Amino acid sequence: MSNAAISVKGLQKSFKDLHVLRGVDFEVERGSIFALLGSNGAGKTTVVRILSTLLKADAGTATVQGVDVTTDPLGVREKISLTGQFAAVDEILTGRENLVLVAKLRHLPNAGKVADDLLATFRLTDAGARKVGTYSGGMRRRLDIAMSLVGHPEVIYLDEPTTGLDPEARIEVWDVIKELANTGTTVLLTTQYLDEAEQLADRIAILHEGRIIADGTLAELKKLLPAAKVEYVEKQPTLEEIFLTLIGPSSTKENAA
């Protein structure tokens, strides 16, 4: 049996004359953190929406835990959870009430215990009785991810989960993501932050102009560029250098425009 939790082959998607995905291929191993890295507008969120059954591809195939996203979308939804770029929490409710609400919507028994266990896991027990409107950005994001884990999904999609967070809050979220993988959850992470992919991912794919132009471990990607030597000391290329070399200077100019 294949060890792939997610398998994507030849994925294509266009919006009228805009070709967003032009044949995307990659696989994500079970229990790993896979980073889909790309500039704004590269198509990362489109890939996630297709894998979440929120959008239909024009061509290609995609399976999650062996279930086809097109022919059995309900089966896929039973196995996944999605956290978008902005925390989907109710600020009027307390942290615990948010979790209890999701647990009840999923018809889980003992919703209170489910909420308490997740609050403890995400170090939010002391804040559980406070309204979410009083939470910091990092706390909201941790609660958002906790809500995504109600019901123990096998695969979780994190679409740019640290957008807008300060450095301390980003590190808090990074710790949560690492803990997810340690418990066997498969994580597909989309990000435009190179250091985020470098810190978290077991494997990194670079999406550019609708195609995967590189896919490998950080060590494998480093081999794409020759090591630089400074004062006779070998210097390995950074992920930023690899990324900018692969996508070319035109993309940098466009993003700066």
Side-chain angles (χ1 to χ4, degrees):
M1 183 178 177
S2 171
N3 195 42
I6 302 171
S7 180
V8 174
K9 297 179 181 178
L11 213 59
Q12 298 182 36
K13 183 63 183 180
S14 297
F15 298 96
K16 296 184 178 179
D17 295 330
L18 178 61
H19 302 296
V20 179
L21 305 179
R22 301 169 180 264
V24 172
D25 303 271
F26 64 84
E27 288 193 343
V28 180
E29 290 187 4
R30 298 171 190 262
S32 69
I33 301 176
F34 183 91
L36 190 58
L37 182 63
S39 305
N40 280 332
K44 304 184 300 297
T45 297
T46 299
V47 171
V48 169
R49 292 182 66 193
I50 291 172
L51 291 175
S52 307
T53 74
L54 300 175
L55 188 67
K56 287 188 177 180
D58 297 333
T61 61
T63 60
V64 179
Q65 299 290 80
V67 182
D68 191 283
V69 300
T70 300
T71 60
D72 190 3
L74 290 179
V76 170
R77 291 171 192 169
E78 291 176 353
K79 299 178 179 297
I80 67 167
S81 189
L82 167 64
T83 296
Q85 296 181 22
F86 304 99
V89 294
D90 191 319
E91 296 188 355
I92 297 176
L93 300 178
T94 67
R96 188 176 189 273
E97 288 170 343
N98 269 278
L99 289 165
V100 168
L101 175 62
V102 175
K104 287 182 176 179
L105 289 173
R106 295 201 175 197
H107 306 290
L108 298 181
N110 202 347
K113 184 177 185 307
V114 171
D116 291 336
D117 288 347
L118 284 168
L119 287 171
T121 298
F122 288 89
R123 304 186 301 279
L124 290 169
T125 299
D126 291 342
R130 285 167 42 196
K131 290 187 177 182
V132 175
T134 68
Y135 283 17
S136 67
M139 292 170 67
R140 292 186 191 201
R141 180 53 83 184
R142 277 155 48 202
L143 177 63
D144 192 31
I145 296 174
M147 290 166 64
S148 298
L149 292 177
V150 172
H152 303 288
E154 299 170 51
V155 177
I156 182 168
Y157 306 133
L158 301 176
D159 189 15
E160 302 198 20
T162 62
T163 296
L165 297 184
D166 61 41
E168 183 178 1
R170 288 182 71 207
I171 292 173
E172 289 180 0
V173 174
W174 287 1
D175 290 341
V176 167
I177 295 171
K178 291 174 183 176
E179 289 171 11
L180 288 178
N182 289 337
T183 61
T185 305
T186 302
V187 179
L188 172 61
L189 167 75
T190 75
T191 183
Q192 58 180 314
Y193 299 129
L194 305 177
D195 59 335
E196 191 157 272
E198 197 163 7
Q199 287 287 329
L200 296 175
D202 299 303
R203 195 170 187 89
I204 301 165
I206 298 176
L207 181 63
H208 179 58
E209 296 183 348
R211 293 186 175 88
I212 299 293
I213 59 173
D215 183 351
T217 64
L218 181 59
E220 290 169 343
L221 293 181
K222 284 184 175 182
K223 292 178 182 178
L224 297 175
L225 294 184
K229 290 188 178 181
V230 180
E231 295 182 354
Y232 305 102
V233 177
E234 186 177 87
K235 176 181 178 294
Q236 292 292 329
T238 66
L239 183 57
E240 180 177 7
E241 291 169 336
I242 296 166
F243 179 78
L244 293 176
T245 298
L246 290 172
I247 67 172
S250 61
S251 296
T252 306
K253 293 176 182 177
E254 288 171 5
N255 290 336

